[in-house]
């Protein structure tokens, strides 16, 4: 991350306890109301949904980009007591998507992409499940 122009204010690991993550956030973004206004889930790992819900403040939004095979599960505390709004990822038309790409390009943002061959699919899966993958995995079919 040190080589990127835009660095995160704080890095949260899904394996850290929620309290530790919340403390990091509160130090980086002091506020009378703890938590984040919104969280974006770009993973399909089931535990990420509970973590994001725990870190999202009351009346906040969660944007779901990841597509877990068996759907998502969240506790009733997150949905009822915190009144969190879940938003799907198909939230933009073509013009908005193009504006987003332009903004991404102008600010020199970067996404790590790792390409795999079809016969490496299981290796990719194992790396992902072991938590060793970064960015986006893409299978290239020749």
């Amino acid at each position: 991350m040190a080589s990127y122009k835009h660095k995160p204010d704080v890095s949260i690991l899904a394996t850290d306890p929620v309290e530790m993550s919340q403390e990091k956030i509160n130090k980086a973004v002091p506020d009378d109301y703890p938590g984040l206004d919104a969280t974006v889930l770009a993973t399909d790992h089931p535990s990420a949904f509970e973590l994001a819900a725990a870190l999202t403040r009351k009346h906040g939004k969660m944007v779901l980009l990841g597509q877990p095979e068996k759907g998502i599960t969240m506790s009733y505390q997150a949905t009822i007591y915190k009144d969190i709004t879940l938003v799907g990822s198909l939230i933009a038309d073509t013009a908005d998507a193009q504006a987003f790409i332009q903004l991404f390009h102008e600010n020199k943002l970067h996404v790590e992409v790792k390409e795999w061959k079809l016969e490496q699919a299981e290796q990719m899966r194992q790396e992902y499940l072991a938590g060793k993958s970064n960015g986006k995995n893409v299978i290239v079919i020749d």
Side-chain angles (χ1 to χ4, degrees):
M1 277 194 286
S3 64
Y4 296 126
K5 180 178 176 183
H6 301 283
K7 297 177 185 78
D9 295 323
V10 63
S11 294
I12 303 297
L13 294 175
T15 54
D16 288 342
V18 172
E19 298 78 18
M20 179 188 295
S21 299
Q22 190 67 61
E23 188 177 318
K24 287 180 181 180
I25 292 166
N26 292 343
K27 284 181 183 177
V29 187
D31 197 322
D32 292 336
Y33 302 101
L36 301 166
D37 290 327
T39 51
V40 178
L41 288 145
T43 181
D44 60 357
H45 197 280
S47 65
F49 292 92
E50 279 298 327
L51 175 64
L55 297 176
T56 303
R57 69 174 52 144
K58 241 181 173 184
H59 312 297
K61 282 191 179 184
M62 288 175 59
V63 180
L64 308 176
L65 301 178
Q67 300 169 0
E69 184 179 330
K70 296 182 182 178
I72 63 168
T73 310
M74 290 176 51
S75 68
Y76 68 90
Q77 289 98 341
T79 53
I80 295 173
Y81 297 148
K82 292 182 86 175
D83 186 36
I84 293 173
T85 302
L86 301 176
V87 180
S89 59
L90 296 177
I91 56 174
D93 59 17
T94 303
D96 287 339
Q98 288 171 337
F100 176 73
I101 290 169
Q102 183 64 33
L103 179 70
F104 202 85
H105 175 72
E106 288 170 0
N107 288 286
K108 297 179 174 72
L109 299 175
H110 175 76
V111 174
E112 289 290 326
V113 176
K114 185 169 183 180
E115 293 184 359
W116 300 83
K117 294 182 180 187
L118 186 58
E119 57 270 15
Q120 295 175 304
E122 182 58 26
Q123 181 185 350
M124 177 191 74
R125 181 178 169 276
Q126 292 302 321
E127 186 175 295
Y128 171 77
L129 292 174
K132 296 178 181 175
S133 66
N134 291 321
K136 201 69 176 160
N137 288 308
V138 176
I139 295 178
V140 178
I141 301 173
D142 296 323

